[in-house]
Amino acid sequence: MNVAVAVDDKVRYEARPSAGEAGPATKRVVVGYGFWVFLLSDIVMFSAIFAAYAVLNHATAGGPSGVQLFNQRSVAIETGCLLASSYTCGLMSLAIGSRRYAATYWAALITFVLGALFLALELREFAGMIAIGAGPQRSAFLSAFFTLVGCHGLHVTAGLVWLVVMMAQVAVKGFRQTVERRLLCFSLFWHALDIVWVWLFTVVYLMGVLS
Amino acid sequence: MTDTQYDRAPGDASALPDVEQGASSGVLVYTIGLGLAVGLTALSFWVANTSLLWVGGISLGLTVLAIAQMGVHLVFFLHVTTGPDNTNNVMALAFGVLIVALVVVGSLLIMADLNDSMMPAPELMNLQMQH
């Protein structure tokens, strides 16, 4: 019994307040974590599309292959746009943290413009490919390509709409806690999209040109 | 106060949201991240286009560069760290990475294996029949 008490005391003495024992987490932590789990599930969905693309990479059915279709200069500019918009999105988070309205609007505007530029370049690339008969119905490779890149493009479009809605909320409601939590989720979403794009330009555009 | 705020939301830089962090240090973190990401991206494009490197190792090199850049984004933009207030976020991330690896590597392995064990094309079959 003595031993048991000693052990019990020791455990109680040494135990630091872990995440579970510190009481319920704040709403910001819970919301952020929930959105983090959603983002990871979204990335799992992307991984399935990536796997489909990698399997169908050489199934061109006699049609054009990646080497003939991809323009690396345009891809490099798209990558630069998305990277810079991720940076300005981070600056927007800092402006929100210190509750500066003007800096938030400016950072959001630059983020939006860079995201829209990315989207415009991508749509131009799609239109050019469809114009020369390399649409999604041409081969399994092109179906997988349009699914993968188009899915990322749809996410960027949704992010742009979300950004406009969030700026309207900041303008109308100000920096309330609910608005700040939504802005946290938006910045997580935007940075996660950039991670997906890193894999996209590596696997599709750079490795596709190798072979 | 610190004991009641032990977890951290993903994307938050500070363990204590109510403590004002210097804005300049935050800008510095994002700027370092941007610099590293731009450097790694430029390196990726160079590796894919150069003729100086052994062709067989280029896809492996590109994969390593992509993983490194993903790490840069996670640490400098999403503020995912190995700190104790971040355990839940890292555990969720590790599970996500596991599932992604299973889906991608599993699909590639299975499809490559299927391709290998497919019936050969008709002309090859004919060649075998002629013996």
Side-chain angles (χ1 to χ4, degrees):
Chain A
M1 191 191 158
N2 256 348
V3 174
V5 169
V7 168
D8 197 19
D9 270 353
K10 196 177 165 202
V11 167
R12 201 177 304 146
Y13 183 73
E14 286 185 347
R16 297 182 60 205
S18 72
E21 290 165 356
T26 59
K27 189 135 189 194
R28 187 179 171 86
V29 170
V30 173
V31 168
Y33 185 68
F35 198 74
W36 183 232
V37 171
F38 159 72
L39 282 178
L40 289 169
S41 73
D42 209 31
I43 286 174
V44 167
M45 182 203 73
F46 265 111
S47 80
I49 305 177
F50 265 107
Y53 177 83
V55 166
L56 298 173
N57 197 6
H58 299 292
T60 51
S65 67
V67 187
Q68 293 145 356
L69 291 172
F70 300 152
N71 175 10
Q72 284 212 4
R73 222 168 62 91
S74 157
V75 175
I77 297 172
E78 284 176 48
T79 308
C81 285
L82 214 55
L83 211 55
S85 86
S86 213
Y87 177 67
T88 55
C89 177
L91 297 185
M92 186 178 78
S93 305
L94 294 175
I96 293 160
S98 50
R99 295 195 164 44
R100 285 173 290 159
Y101 277 96
T104 307
Y105 291 139
W106 272 111
L109 181 69
I110 300 172
T111 308
F112 184 90
V113 168
L114 287 167
L117 197 61
F118 167 85
L119 213 56
L121 283 169
E122 191 167 282
L123 285 176
R124 200 187 62 173
E125 186 195 6
F126 281 2
M129 284 170 72
I130 291 169
I132 59 164
Q137 71 274 35
R138 179 61 189 84
S139 65
F141 156 69
L142 282 167
S143 302
F145 169 82
F146 275 93
T147 309
L148 179 56
V149 183
C151 193
H152 179 268
L154 278 181
H155 276 74
V156 173
T157 313
L160 290 179
V161 173
W162 191 3
L163 182 60
V164 172
V165 172
M166 283 325 298
M167 283 310 109
Q169 291 198 359
V170 170
V172 174
K173 300 181 175 179
F175 288 121
R176 279 191 214 165
Q177 286 208 318
T178 47
V179 176
E180 279 189 36
R181 284 199 294 268
R182 287 168 200 161
L183 286 165
L184 170 74
C185 291
F186 170 77
S187 69
L188 283 175
F189 183 73
W190 202 248
H191 293 315
L193 277 189
D194 219 13
I195 293 181
V196 173
W197 179 256
V198 167
W199 283 103
L200 224 152
F201 82 71
T202 303
V203 171
V204 175
Y205 291 104
L206 295 185
M207 288 186 187
V209 174
L210 289 180
S211 51
Chain B
M1 274 293 115
T2 49
D3 289 347
T4 54
Q5 298 270 345
Y6 215 66
D7 269 339
R8 195 203 301 181
D12 270 346
S14 169
L16 298 166
D18 44 357
V19 172
E20 196 83 1
Q21 265 206 329
S24 58
S25 77
V27 171
L28 186 65
V29 168
Y30 282 115
T31 310
I32 293 172
L34 180 71
L36 286 174
V38 167
L40 286 169
T41 304
L43 201 58
S44 288
F45 276 86
W46 179 78
V47 164
N49 290 303
T50 185
S51 53
L52 291 174
L53 300 171
W54 177 54
V55 181
I58 286 181
S59 6
L60 188 66
L62 286 173
T63 310
V64 171
L65 283 170
I67 291 173
Q69 192 165 351
M70 191 172 71
V72 167
H73 281 253
L74 284 173
V75 171
F76 290 94
F77 291 162
L78 287 161
H79 306 302
V80 170
T81 66
T82 52
D85 55 352
N86 234 310
T87 316
N88 289 335
N89 304 336
V90 174
M91 289 300 279
L93 176 67
F95 182 68
V97 169
L98 172 73
I99 300 297
V100 167
L102 282 179
V103 168
V104 173
V105 177
S107 299
L108 287 175
L109 273 180
I110 290 172
M111 292 312 287
D113 194 48
L114 267 180
N115 272 342
D116 278 350
S117 47
M118 279 286 260
M119 254 199 299
E123 52 270 25
L124 286 175
M125 287 282 274
N126 284 339
L127 284 178
Q128 283 169 344
M129 296 293 182
Q130 283 162 12
H131 283 291

